[in-house]
Amino acid sequence: MTQCALMAEKMDHHPDWSNSYNKVHVSLTTHDAGGVSQLDVDFARFADQVYDTLKR
């Protein structure tokens, strides 16, 4: 979550998320865009890469 938070800050993108114990829920929509934007897709791709590295 920390890696993703740092990247979100760097991207100037602030998705809604919450965490509890060992679960993180991230909601990727851009209100100004009225849905999913390229920034959301880029952030999701980064988050997937982080997750893939952690599950090894």
Coordinates of all heavy atoms in Angstrom, one line a residue:
M1 N 0.8 -1.2 0.0 CA 0.0 0.0 0.0 C 0.9 1.2 0.0 O 0.5 2.2 -0.7 CB -0.9 0.0 1.2 CG -1.9 1.1 1.2 SD -3.1 0.8 2.5 CE -3.9 2.4 2.5
T2 N 2.0 1.2 0.7 CA 2.9 2.3 0.8 C 3.4 2.7 -0.6 O 3.5 3.8 -1.0 CB 4.0 2.1 1.8 OG1 3.4 1.8 3.1 CG2 4.9 3.3 1.9
Q3 N 3.9 1.6 -1.3 CA 4.4 1.9 -2.7 C 3.4 2.5 -3.6 O 3.7 3.4 -4.3 CB 4.9 0.6 -3.3 CG 6.2 0.0 -2.6 CD 6.5 -1.3 -3.2 OE1 5.7 -2.3 -3.2 NE2 7.7 -1.4 -3.8
C4 N 2.2 2.0 -3.5 CA 1.1 2.6 -4.3 C 0.8 4.0 -3.9 O 0.5 4.9 -4.8 CB -0.1 1.7 -4.2 SG 0.1 0.1 -5.1
A5 N 0.8 4.3 -2.6 CA 0.5 5.7 -2.1 C 1.5 6.6 -2.6 O 1.2 7.7 -3.1 CB 0.4 5.7 -0.6
L6 N 2.8 6.2 -2.6 CA 3.9 7.1 -3.1 C 3.7 7.3 -4.6 O 3.9 8.4 -5.1 CB 5.2 6.5 -2.8 CG 5.6 6.4 -1.3 CD1 6.9 5.6 -1.1 CD2 5.7 7.9 -0.8
M7 N 3.4 6.3 -5.4 CA 3.2 6.4 -6.8 C 2.0 7.3 -7.1 O 2.0 8.2 -8.0 CB 3.1 5.1 -7.5 CG 2.8 5.2 -9.0 SD 4.1 6.2 -9.9 CE 5.4 5.0 -9.9
A8 N 0.9 7.1 -6.4 CA -0.3 8.0 -6.6 C 0.1 9.4 -6.3 O -0.4 10.3 -7.1 CB -1.4 7.5 -5.6
E9 N 0.8 9.7 -5.3 CA 1.3 11.1 -5.1 C 2.1 11.6 -6.2 O 1.9 12.8 -6.7 CB 2.0 11.1 -3.7 CG 2.4 12.5 -3.3 CD 1.2 13.4 -3.0 OE1 0.2 12.9 -2.5 OE2 1.3 14.6 -3.1
K10 N 3.0 10.8 -6.7 CA 3.9 11.2 -7.8 C 3.1 11.5 -9.1 O 3.4 12.4 -9.8 CB 4.9 10.1 -8.1 CG 6.0 10.4 -9.0 CD 7.0 9.3 -9.1 CE 8.2 9.7 -9.9 NZ 9.2 8.6 -9.9
M11 N 2.0 10.7 -9.3 CA 1.1 10.8 -10.4 C 0.1 12.0 -10.2 O -0.7 12.3 -11.2 CB 0.4 9.5 -10.7 CG 1.2 8.4 -11.1 SD 0.3 6.8 -11.1 CE -0.6 7.0 -12.7
D12 N 0.0 12.5 -9.0 CA -1.0 13.5 -8.7 C -2.4 12.9 -8.9 O -3.3 13.5 -9.5 CB -0.9 14.8 -9.5 CG -1.7 15.9 -8.8 OD1 -1.9 15.9 -7.6 OD2 -2.1 16.8 -9.6
H13 N -2.5 11.6 -8.4 CA -3.7 10.9 -8.6 C -4.1 10.3 -7.2 O -3.2 9.7 -6.5 CB -3.5 9.7 -9.6 CG -4.8 9.0 -9.9 ND1 -5.9 9.7 -10.4 CD2 -5.1 7.7 -10.0 CE1 -6.8 8.8 -10.6 NE2 -6.4 7.6 -10.4
H14 N -5.3 10.5 -6.8 CA -5.7 10.1 -5.4 C -6.9 9.2 -5.4 O -8.0 9.7 -5.1 CB -5.8 11.3 -4.6 CG -4.6 12.2 -4.6 ND1 -3.4 11.9 -4.0 CD2 -4.4 13.3 -5.3 CE1 -2.5 12.8 -4.3 NE2 -3.1 13.7 -5.1
P15 N -6.8 7.9 -5.7 CA -7.9 7.0 -5.7 C -8.5 6.9 -4.3 O -7.8 7.1 -3.3 CB -7.4 5.7 -6.2 CG -5.9 5.8 -5.9 CD -5.5 7.2 -6.0
D16 N -9.8 6.5 -4.2 CA -10.4 6.2 -2.9 C -9.9 4.8 -2.6 O -10.0 3.9 -3.4 CB -11.9 6.2 -3.0 CG -12.4 7.6 -3.3 OD1 -11.8 8.5 -2.8 OD2 -13.5 7.7 -3.9
W17 N -9.4 4.6 -1.3 CA -9.1 3.3 -0.9 C -9.2 3.1 0.6 O -9.3 4.1 1.3 CB -7.7 2.9 -1.4 CG -6.5 3.7 -0.9 CD1 -6.5 4.6 0.1 CD2 -5.2 3.6 -1.4 NE1 -5.2 5.1 0.2 CE2 -4.4 4.5 -0.7 CE3 -4.6 2.9 -2.4 CZ2 -3.1 4.7 -1.0 CZ3 -3.3 3.1 -2.7 CH2 -2.5 4.0 -2.0
S18 N -9.3 1.9 1.0 CA -9.3 1.6 2.5 C -8.6 0.3 2.7 O -8.4 -0.5 1.8 CB -10.8 1.5 2.9 OG -11.4 0.4 2.3
N19 N -8.1 0.2 3.9 CA -7.4 -1.1 4.2 C -7.9 -1.5 5.6 O -8.2 -0.7 6.5 CB -5.9 -0.9 4.2 CG -5.4 0.0 5.3 OD1 -5.7 1.1 5.4 ND2 -4.5 -0.5 6.1
S20 N -7.9 -2.8 5.7 CA -8.3 -3.5 7.0 C -7.5 -4.8 7.1 O -7.7 -5.7 6.2 CB -9.8 -3.7 7.1 OG -10.1 -4.4 8.3
Y21 N -6.7 -4.9 8.1 CA -5.8 -6.1 8.3 C -5.0 -6.4 7.1 O -4.1 -5.8 6.8 CB -6.7 -7.2 8.8 CG -5.9 -8.4 9.2 CD1 -4.9 -8.4 10.2 CD2 -6.1 -9.7 8.6 CE1 -4.2 -9.5 10.6 CE2 -5.4 -10.8 9.0 CZ -4.4 -10.7 10.0 OH -3.7 -11.8 10.3
N22 N -5.4 -7.5 6.3 CA -4.6 -7.9 5.2 C -5.3 -7.6 3.9 O -4.9 -8.2 2.9 CB -4.2 -9.4 5.3 CG -5.5 -10.3 5.3 OD1 -6.6 -9.8 5.4 ND2 -5.2 -11.6 5.1
K23 N -6.2 -6.7 3.8 CA -7.0 -6.4 2.6 C -6.9 -4.9 2.3 O -7.1 -4.1 3.2 CB -8.4 -6.9 2.7 CG -8.5 -8.4 2.8 CD -9.9 -8.8 2.9 CE -9.8 -10.3 3.0 NZ -10.9 -11.1 3.3
V24 N -6.8 -4.6 1.0 CA -6.9 -3.2 0.6 C -7.9 -3.2 -0.5 O -8.0 -4.0 -1.4 CB -5.5 -2.8 0.0 CG1 -5.6 -1.4 -0.6 CG2 -4.4 -2.8 1.0
H25 N -8.8 -2.2 -0.4 CA -9.8 -2.0 -1.5 C -9.5 -0.7 -2.1 O -9.4 0.4 -1.4 CB -11.2 -2.0 -0.8 CG -12.3 -1.6 -1.8 ND1 -12.8 -2.6 -2.7 CD2 -12.9 -0.5 -2.1 CE1 -13.7 -2.0 -3.5 NE2 -13.8 -0.7 -3.1
V26 N -9.4 -0.7 -3.5 CA -9.1 0.6 -4.2 C -10.2 0.8 -5.2 O -10.6 -0.1 -6.0 CB -7.8 0.4 -4.9 CG1 -7.4 1.7 -5.7 CG2 -6.6 0.1 -4.0
S27 N -10.8 2.0 -5.2 CA -11.8 2.4 -6.2 C -11.2 3.3 -7.2 O -10.8 4.4 -6.8 CB -12.9 3.0 -5.5 OG -13.9 3.4 -6.4
L28 N -11.1 2.9 -8.4 CA -10.4 3.7 -9.5 C -11.4 4.3 -10.4 O -11.9 3.7 -11.4 CB -9.4 2.9 -10.3 CG -8.2 2.4 -9.5 CD1 -7.3 1.5 -10.3 CD2 -7.4 3.7 -9.0
T29 N -11.8 5.5 -10.2 CA -12.6 6.3 -11.1 C -12.2 7.7 -10.9 O -11.7 8.1 -9.9 CB -14.1 6.2 -10.8 OG1 -14.4 6.7 -9.5 CG2 -14.7 4.8 -11.0
T30 N -12.3 8.5 -12.0 CA -11.9 9.9 -12.0 C -13.2 10.7 -12.1 O -13.8 10.6 -13.2 CB -10.9 10.3 -13.1 OG1 -9.7 9.5 -12.9 CG2 -10.6 11.7 -13.0
H31 N -13.6 11.3 -11.0 CA -14.9 12.0 -11.0 C -15.0 13.1 -12.1 O -16.0 13.2 -12.8 CB -15.1 12.7 -9.6 CG -15.1 11.7 -8.5 ND1 -16.1 10.8 -8.3 CD2 -14.1 11.4 -7.6 CE1 -15.8 10.0 -7.3 NE2 -14.6 10.4 -6.8
D32 N -13.9 13.8 -12.4 CA -13.9 14.8 -13.4 C -14.1 14.2 -14.8 O -14.7 14.8 -15.7 CB -12.6 15.6 -13.4 CG -12.4 16.5 -12.2 OD1 -13.4 16.7 -11.5 OD2 -11.3 16.9 -11.9
A33 N -13.6 13.0 -15.0 CA -13.7 12.3 -16.3 C -15.1 11.6 -16.4 O -15.4 11.1 -17.5 CB -12.6 11.3 -16.5
G34 N -15.8 11.4 -15.3 CA -17.1 10.7 -15.3 C -16.9 9.2 -15.4 O -17.8 8.5 -15.9
G35 N -15.8 8.7 -15.0 CA -15.5 7.3 -15.1 C -14.1 7.0 -15.0 O -13.3 7.7 -14.3
V36 N -13.7 5.9 -15.7 CA -12.3 5.5 -15.7 C -11.4 6.3 -16.7 O -11.8 6.4 -17.8 CB -12.2 4.0 -16.0 CG1 -10.7 3.5 -16.0 CG2 -12.9 3.2 -14.9
S37 N -10.3 6.8 -16.2 CA -9.4 7.6 -17.1 C -8.2 6.8 -17.4 O -7.9 5.8 -16.7 CB -9.1 9.0 -16.5 OG -8.3 8.8 -15.4
Q38 N -7.3 7.4 -18.3 CA -6.0 6.7 -18.5 C -5.2 6.7 -17.3 O -4.4 5.8 -17.0 CB -5.3 7.4 -19.7 CG -4.0 6.8 -20.1 CD -4.3 5.3 -20.6 OE1 -5.1 5.1 -21.4 NE2 -3.5 4.4 -20.1
L39 N -5.3 7.7 -16.5 CA -4.6 7.8 -15.2 C -5.0 6.6 -14.3 O -4.1 6.0 -13.6 CB -4.8 9.1 -14.5 CG -3.9 9.6 -13.4 CD1 -2.4 9.7 -14.0 CD2 -4.3 11.0 -12.9
D40 N -6.2 6.3 -14.3 CA -6.7 5.2 -13.5 C -6.1 3.9 -14.0 O -5.6 3.0 -13.2 CB -8.2 5.1 -13.5 CG -8.9 6.2 -12.9 OD1 -8.6 6.6 -11.8 OD2 -9.9 6.8 -13.5
V41 N -6.1 3.7 -15.3 CA -5.5 2.5 -15.9 C -4.0 2.4 -15.6 O -3.5 1.3 -15.2 CB -5.8 2.5 -17.4 CG1 -5.0 1.4 -18.1 CG2 -7.2 2.5 -17.7
D42 N -3.3 3.5 -15.7 CA -1.9 3.5 -15.4 C -1.6 3.2 -14.0 O -0.7 2.4 -13.7 CB -1.2 4.9 -15.8 CG -1.3 5.2 -17.2 OD1 -1.5 4.3 -18.1 OD2 -1.1 6.4 -17.6
F43 N -2.4 3.7 -13.1 CA -2.2 3.4 -11.7 C -2.5 1.9 -11.4 O -1.8 1.3 -10.6 CB -3.1 4.3 -10.8 CG -2.9 4.1 -9.3 CD1 -1.8 4.6 -8.6 CD2 -3.8 3.3 -8.6 CE1 -1.6 4.3 -7.3 CE2 -3.6 3.0 -7.3 CZ -2.5 3.5 -6.6
A44 N -3.6 1.4 -12.0 CA -4.0 0.0 -11.8 C -2.8 -0.9 -12.3 O -2.5 -1.9 -11.6 CB -5.3 -0.3 -12.5
R45 N -2.2 -0.5 -13.4 CA -1.1 -1.3 -13.9 C 0.0 -1.4 -12.9 O 0.6 -2.4 -12.7 CB -0.7 -0.8 -15.3 CG 0.3 -1.6 -16.0 CD 0.5 -1.2 -17.4 NE -0.7 -1.5 -18.2 CZ -1.3 -0.6 -19.0 NH1 -0.9 0.6 -19.0 NH2 -2.4 -1.0 -19.6
F46 N 0.4 -0.2 -12.4 CA 1.4 -0.1 -11.4 C 1.1 -1.0 -10.2 O 1.9 -1.7 -9.7 CB 1.7 1.3 -11.0 CG 2.7 1.5 -9.9 CD1 4.1 1.4 -10.2 CD2 2.3 1.6 -8.6 CE1 5.0 1.4 -9.2 CE2 3.3 1.7 -7.5 CZ 4.6 1.6 -7.8
A47 N -0.2 -0.8 -9.7 CA -0.6 -1.6 -8.5 C -0.5 -3.1 -8.7 O -0.1 -3.9 -7.9 CB -2.0 -1.2 -8.1
D48 N -0.9 -3.5 -9.9 CA -0.8 -4.9 -10.3 C 0.7 -5.4 -10.3 O 1.0 -6.5 -9.8 CB -1.3 -5.2 -11.7 CG -2.9 -5.3 -11.7 OD1 -3.5 -5.4 -10.6 OD2 -3.4 -5.2 -12.8
Q49 N 1.6 -4.6 -10.7 CA 3.0 -4.9 -10.7 C 3.5 -5.1 -9.3 O 4.3 -6.0 -9.0 CB 3.8 -3.9 -11.5 CG 3.6 -3.9 -13.0 CD 4.3 -2.7 -13.7 OE1 4.8 -1.8 -13.1 NE2 4.2 -2.7 -15.0
V50 N 3.1 -4.2 -8.4 CA 3.5 -4.2 -7.0 C 3.0 -5.5 -6.4 O 3.7 -6.2 -5.7 CB 3.0 -3.0 -6.2 CG1 3.2 -3.2 -4.8 CG2 3.7 -1.7 -6.7
Y51 N 1.7 -5.8 -6.7 CA 1.1 -7.0 -6.1 C 1.9 -8.3 -6.6 O 2.2 -9.2 -5.9 CB -0.3 -7.1 -6.5 CG -1.0 -8.4 -6.1 CD1 -1.3 -8.6 -4.7 CD2 -1.3 -9.4 -7.0 CE1 -1.9 -9.8 -4.3 CE2 -1.9 -10.6 -6.6 CZ -2.2 -10.8 -5.2 OH -2.7 -11.9 -4.8
D52 N 2.2 -8.3 -7.9 CA 2.9 -9.4 -8.5 C 4.3 -9.7 -7.9 O 4.7 -10.8 -7.6 CB 3.0 -9.3 -10.0 CG 1.7 -9.5 -10.8 OD1 0.8 -10.0 -10.2 OD2 1.7 -9.0 -11.9
T53 N 4.9 -8.6 -7.5 CA 6.2 -8.7 -6.9 C 6.1 -9.2 -5.5 O 7.0 -10.0 -5.0 CB 7.0 -7.3 -6.8 OG1 6.4 -6.4 -7.7 CG2 8.4 -7.4 -7.1
L54 N 5.1 -8.8 -4.8 CA 4.9 -9.2 -3.4 C 4.5 -10.7 -3.3 O 4.8 -11.3 -2.3 CB 3.9 -8.4 -2.7 CG 4.3 -6.9 -2.5 CD1 3.1 -6.1 -1.9 CD2 5.5 -6.8 -1.6
K55 N 3.8 -11.2 -4.2 CA 3.3 -12.6 -4.1 C 4.3 -13.7 -4.5 O 4.0 -14.8 -4.4 CB 1.9 -12.8 -4.8 CG 2.0 -12.7 -6.3 CD 0.6 -13.0 -6.9 CE 0.8 -13.1 -8.4 NZ -0.5 -13.4 -9.0
R56 N 5.5 -13.2 -4.9 CA 6.5 -14.2 -5.3 C 7.1 -14.9 -4.1 O 7.2 -14.5 -3.0 CB 7.7 -13.5 -6.0 CG 7.3 -13.1 -7.4 CD 8.5 -12.6 -8.1 NE 8.0 -11.7 -9.2 CZ 8.7 -10.9 -9.9 NH1 10.0 -10.8 -9.6 NH2 8.2 -10.2 -10.8

